[in-house]
Amino acid sequence: MKYFFIVCLSFCSLFLANGSTKAAEKVNIKFEEMKIPLTINQLSKLETYKTDSTELIDWFKKNGFIKFFELSKFLDFPVFKEDGLNRQVLRSWVGRKILSELSKTIIVQNDKDGVEVFNTIEQLLEYKKEVSTLDIIKALPSNEILLDFDN
């Protein structure tokens, strides 16, 4: 009975630990002093919505925000590559400055210094040759992320 209890607690702790490091599902985009809530899936397919005809999309087009729909193209562009020099720069003083600026745009709750962003980039570079901003957003262990493009 004692072993059964230990096994049950182990499984419970495993599920609770996985729930706390779950990747973000919701992204709030701060753009032109507006906050636009999107899911990660919607964010990655933002360019395809450009041809849709809904009230919100028509409003974006009429008010000159058509470039907003091209955002997914820029987010999908690789910004970090898995080569020795790129990782050395990322870990250097200059890399910390880059991450500091990046953490002003990609805002994760309780991460003021960009540590979560840095750790996520490091983990992604372990198994991917190129890492895009969208890859980073998808892998960040936070329930909600704010992309502040007014910054």
Side-chain angles (χ1 to χ4, degrees):
M1 185 70 172
K2 178 178 162 183
Y3 294 113
F4 178 76
F5 184 73
I6 292 172
V7 170
C8 286
L9 280 178
S10 298
F11 278 119
C12 289
S13 67
L14 177 67
F15 288 120
L16 290 174
N18 284 340
S20 65
T21 60
K22 188 176 177 184
E25 294 177 5
K26 183 179 177 186
V27 177
N28 289 314
I29 298 175
K30 189 174 177 189
F31 179 74
E32 298 288 330
E33 298 183 14
M34 295 181 291
K35 253 190 190 177
I36 304 164
L38 296 171
T39 64
I40 299 271
N41 191 28
Q42 289 172 326
L43 181 64
S44 63
K45 297 178 181 176
L46 202 55
E47 192 173 9
T48 61
Y49 297 131
K50 185 170 40 174
T51 58
D52 286 353
S53 181
T54 63
E55 203 173 305
L56 178 64
I57 292 172
D58 289 341
W59 183 86
F60 270 107
K61 290 176 183 176
K62 287 177 187 173
N63 289 300
F65 297 118
I66 196 71
K67 291 194 180 217
F68 177 76
F69 296 104
E70 297 174 5
L71 182 63
S72 62
K73 184 173 28 175
F74 294 109
L75 291 175
D76 209 21
F77 185 79
V79 289
F80 296 102
K81 296 187 180 198
E82 196 281 315
D83 59 357
L85 180 63
N86 213 347
R87 279 193 165 185
Q88 288 175 355
V89 168
L90 189 61
R91 293 176 181 158
S92 71
W93 177 83
V94 173
R96 286 193 300 271
K97 290 292 185 185
I98 292 169
L99 285 171
S100 174
E101 291 302 314
L102 190 60
S103 67
K104 291 177 185 175
T105 303
I106 302 173
I107 301 171
V108 179
Q109 295 172 344
N110 303 324
D111 184 32
K112 304 255 186 247
D113 300 324
V115 175
E116 288 291 332
V117 175
F118 174 76
N119 290 338
T120 302
I121 293 168
E122 283 282 321
Q123 290 170 358
L124 287 170
L125 286 174
E126 290 294 322
Y127 65 92
K128 291 183 85 168
K129 291 187 183 216
E130 295 180 339
V131 175
S132 68
T133 307
L134 194 57
D135 293 331
I136 297 168
I137 293 168
K138 286 179 181 179
L140 278 168
S142 177
N143 292 333
E144 191 172 317
I145 296 172
L146 174 67
L147 292 180
D148 186 1
F149 292 112
D150 289 341
N151 180 7

